[in-house]
Amino acid sequence: ALAYALYNIFIKKGSASIHPILGGVILQIVAAFLGTLLLIFIVVQDGVDTLEFDRSGINWSILAGVAVGSAEMLSFFVMGMGVQATQAIPVVIGGGVMFWCVFCA
């Protein structure tokens, strides 16, 4: 919860002074770098055989990446327009819950 709260605060703070696409790309590069470091650590500690996956898992991960990348850039755009975090964040989180309920019911 803390990481997600900081994510929203940092996007709000940065959105006023960076292009939404550039902000989203920088965010994704940093996240990919940290994820890669964690993956390397897991492989070194436990071996590559511990990384179980199949085509379906990879496909869903790709779709999740497209969705989160779009959401990040849209968040930078909306916050950069001056929308208050107290309005934008609950709408994004509430909207996410609503769409999850509709699509996963």
Side-chain angles (χ1 to χ4, degrees), residues 7-18 76 79:
Y7 161 84
N8 283 303
I9 290 167
F10 297 156
I11 285 180
K12 177 59 182 168
K13 295 288 189 180
S15 64
S17 57
I18 194 166
F76 271 102
M79 299 281 194

Side-chain angles (χ1 to χ4, degrees), residues 10 22 25:
F10 297 156
L22 179 58
V25 168

Side-chain angles (χ1 to χ4, degrees), residues 74-98:
L74 185 59
S75 292
F76 271 102
F77 179 74
V78 169
M79 299 281 194
M81 291 175 32
V83 176
Q84 295 297 314
T86 55
Q87 294 172 320
I89 294 169
V91 168
V92 169
I93 293 170
V97 170
M98 180 199 69

Side-chain angles (χ1 to χ4, degrees), residues 43-55:
V43 168
V44 168
Q45 290 288 27
D46 302 329
V48 73
D49 295 335
T50 61
L51 300 177
E52 300 176 14
F53 63 92
D54 61 15
R55 181 180 298 264

